[in-house]
Amino acid sequence: MDTFRVCFVCTGNICRSPMAEAVFRSHVADAGLEDRITAASAGTGGWHVGDPADPRTVRTLESAGYELVHSARQFDPGWFDEHDLIVALDEGHERELRALAPTPQDAAKVRLLRSYDPTASEGDGFGFDVPDPYYGGTQGFEEVLRLVEAAMPGLLSEVAATLDGRPAGAVGGRPGGETG
């Protein structure tokens, strides 16, 4: 049985992407798919490599009942071969990851997390970005968790459909089927 591998990517891999990884892992476990889907996270930059998640990320996740064991990593272009889906937390990460992709097929693996949230829109105050909470307070981390949680059902639905043999991209994406 093949394993579907997802990697969430933000800037430093201490706030948004580890939060998305923890929430996704929880949804995968709740669906009984932990033997078929794996999750990881990384940052586009390397300045936090080896650091734990930001304490505010950890507190926000723990208060919502999520578990996280984490050590920050920097995304390596070689990981395109190791992952089926690369989920960017904002459009800047999406552009950077697509530029790093060795092939057009690898670039097509990059998707925005909020593209899986059916309520996300350019006019909702966030667009398709999950904002960086690093320079703010607890409320920003709680908002990030809300945005991450809203996207998870759509993301898990698409991954599960792919496991069932339907093509990736059949569910989720931006309105009108756009993926980037």
Side-chain angles (χ1 to χ4, degrees), residues 143-163:
E143 186 69 28
V144 166
L145 179 60
R146 184 185 70 74
L147 295 171
V148 165
E149 287 177 328
M152 287 306 158
L155 173 57
L156 184 57
S157 176
E158 179 169 308
V159 171
T162 302
L163 290 172

Side-chain angles (χ1 to χ4, degrees), residues 81-104:
D81 283 341
E82 301 170 17
H83 292 90
D84 300 292
L85 183 62
I86 312 295
V87 182
L89 275 288
D90 70 30
E91 291 177 343
H93 305 130
E94 178 187 40
R95 282 189 300 276
E96 191 169 345
L97 289 163
R98 288 192 175 161
L100 288 173
T103 69

Side-chain angles (χ1 to χ4, degrees), residues 49-129:
V49 169
D51 292 347
D54 186 290
R56 297 166 293 178
T57 296
V58 174
R59 281 193 303 273
T60 301
L61 286 169
E62 284 177 351
S63 354
Y66 296 106
E67 295 179 21
L68 176 66
V69 175
H70 181 72
S71 180
R73 317 181 297 161
Q74 182 175 7
F75 187 83
D76 181 296
W79 295 354
F80 278 101
D81 283 341
E82 301 170 17
H83 292 90
D84 300 292
L85 183 62
I86 312 295
V87 182
L89 275 288
D90 70 30
E91 291 177 343
H93 305 130
E94 178 187 40
R95 282 189 300 276
E96 191 169 345
L97 289 163
R98 288 192 175 161
L100 288 173
T103 69
Q105 294 79 14
D106 289 327
K109 293 178 179 181
V110 179
R111 299 284 299 275
L112 280 167
L113 178 63
R114 290 205 71 218
S115 70
Y116 295 99
D117 177 355
T119 67
S121 73
E122 292 297 336
D124 73 359
F126 300 102
F128 289 93
D129 288 347

